[in-house]
Amino acid sequence: MSANSRLTIAAHALTWIGLYQQRGHEVATSEQIATSVNTNAVVIRRLLGELRKAGLAESRRGAGAGWMLTRDLAAITLLDVYQAVEAGPVFALHRATPDPECVVGHGIGPALTAVYDDVEAALRRELAKTTLEDVLRDVLKAV
């Protein structure tokens, strides 16, 4: 299994737009953002569409088309971004119900659900502590 990078790419895109706007530009194109992320602009447009639905970004069509943030980087947390791009919980139980006659099959769901709920709560607490302004500050320190 490979790790999911949707949160990372979405945070990258929004942070890039925020910096671009701080430097005096009104809108950023998906092509510009895609260059920074090193991916296809279609990938960026799809993610930005989800971020638009969540109220974190908006787009302008026609002359001067592009993407902009709906609020400052300091007002967007990683939790906001996570909730916009991740559809479900971090971990899921079996797709098919395990054998209820097996002691492990019978008890695995309740045992893991408790752990998974705690992990999800901890993840959300940690993501809520970090804004995209924090991310940008740390990015600029590394330059």
Side-chain angles (χ1 to χ4, degrees):
M1 281 185 253
S2 63
N4 184 335
S5 62
R6 289 171 49 79
L7 173 61
T8 300
I9 294 171
H12 183 149
L14 291 174
T15 302
W16 193 94
I17 294 169
L19 177 61
Y20 196 63
Q21 288 179 312
Q22 286 177 9
R23 291 183 172 171
H25 303 278
E26 197 170 336
V27 298
T29 67
S30 52
E31 289 79 12
Q32 291 170 313
I33 301 162
T35 297
S36 178
V37 176
N38 194 23
T39 192
N40 190 294
V42 172
V43 172
I44 297 301
R45 281 191 288 276
R46 285 184 187 138
L47 266 179
L48 286 171
E50 293 176 45
L51 295 166
R52 177 179 42 216
K53 286 178 190 171
L56 301 177
E58 60 187 11
S59 62
R60 183 185 319 168
R61 296 182 185 265
W67 293 90
M68 61 201 92
L69 301 180
T70 58
R71 53 190 196 231
D72 292 335
L73 290 173
I76 302 172
T77 67
L78 286 176
L79 179 59
D80 297 326
V81 180
Y82 174 76
Q83 290 173 325
V85 300
E86 296 299 338
V90 174
F91 301 110
L93 297 178
H94 308 79
R95 292 181 193 264
T97 304
D99 180 0
E101 299 302 316
C102 169
V103 66
V104 175
H106 177 74
I108 194 76
L112 291 179
T113 296
V115 174
Y116 293 169
D117 288 349
D118 289 347
V119 169
E120 185 83 26
L123 171 73
R124 289 176 178 278
R125 274 192 310 275
E126 289 303 311
L127 292 176
K129 291 179 186 178
T130 304
T131 68
L132 292 183
E133 185 68 34
D134 298 330
V135 172
L136 179 58
R137 183 192 62 245
D138 291 345
V139 164
L140 294 176
K141 277 185 201 174
V143 175

